[in-house]
Amino acid sequence: MSASAVPAEDPGRQPEPGLRADAERNRDRILAAARRLYATEGLGVSMASVAREAGVGKATLARRFATREALVTAVFSDRMDAYAAAVTEALADPDPWHGFAGYLRAVCAMQAADRGFADVLTMTFPAAKALEARRTEAYDGFVELIDRAKATGRLRDDFTPEDLVILLMANAGVVAATGDDAPDTWRRLVGHMLRSYAAPDAPVPPLADAPAPTALYRAMIRLSRVR
C-alpha cells in the first residue's frame, strides 16, 4: 500500500485495541517532535525532518500520519479548541469593546507562543476537516463580536472580519522576525492596531514599550541572513 493510501488519522480517536505499544509510542514521539519543530520553526518543516526529530523512519511516519494535513490537525487540535474558546469568552464579556480588544490580544499571544500556530491561523487546510470546522466556528463568533462592539460605538464602522486576517498575517511576520531577539514586539504591534480600530471615544490600552534598538537590529540581521 502506498503512503497516500493510508487513511488519515483522527486526532481525537482512541488507539485501536490491537495497536501495539511500540506503535503508540512512535505516534507520541512523532507528535512531540512535530510540536517542537513547528513551535520553533513554523510549518515549513518537512515531514522528513519530523521523522528524523522523532527518531523514526519515513514509512513509520506515513503509517501514522499519511499527509501533512493529518499531522497538523493532530498537533494543533487543542490549540484550535483554545482559539474557538477565546471567542466564546470574548462574547461573554459584558463590555463588547473590552471583549473585542481582549480577544485580539489573546489570539496574537497564541501566535507569539507557537510559530507553527502563527502559521496555522494564516493558512487554510481544506483536507483537515476538523481543523477547518473549528476555524469556521471561531470566525462566526468573531463576526458576532464585531457587530456587538460596533453597536457600542467604540469599534470603527469600517472594521471588517478581513482586518483580523490582516492583523494575524502581520503578527505572524513580526513573531517570526523578532521572536528570538525581541519576543515582546508583537505586543506593541497589537497596541497600535487596537488604536487604529478604536472609534474616537473608545478607551484604548497603553502601548507596550518599543523593543530596544539593539534587539531590533539583531532581529533585522537574523532576518537578512535567513533570506
Side-chain angles (χ1 to χ4, degrees), residues 62-87:
R63 279 195 296 272
R64 304 315 306 162
F65 302 99
T67 65
R68 175 171 173 263
E69 287 78 7
L71 180 58
V72 168
T73 298
V75 169
F76 293 107
S77 60
D78 59 338
R79 289 167 178 79
M80 287 302 289
D81 288 345
Y83 177 57
V87 178

Side-chain angles (χ1 to χ4, degrees), residues 189-210:
L189 169 68
V190 174
H192 277 303
M193 297 310 297
L194 280 173
R195 290 178 176 224
S196 74
Y197 303 151
D201 295 331
V204 293
L207 276 177
D209 292 338

Side-chain angles (χ1 to χ4, degrees), residues 38-39 42-43 76 79 107-123 125 135 165 167-176:
Y38 289 158
L43 293 189
F76 293 107
R79 289 167 178 79
V107 172
C108 289
M110 293 178 192
Q111 286 187 301
D114 188 321
R115 295 185 192 182
F117 193 59
D119 291 340
V120 167
L121 290 185
T122 60
M123 301 168 66
F125 303 88
R135 189 198 306 276
V165 179
L167 171 61
L168 295 179
M169 287 179 172
N171 193 51
V174 168
V175 168

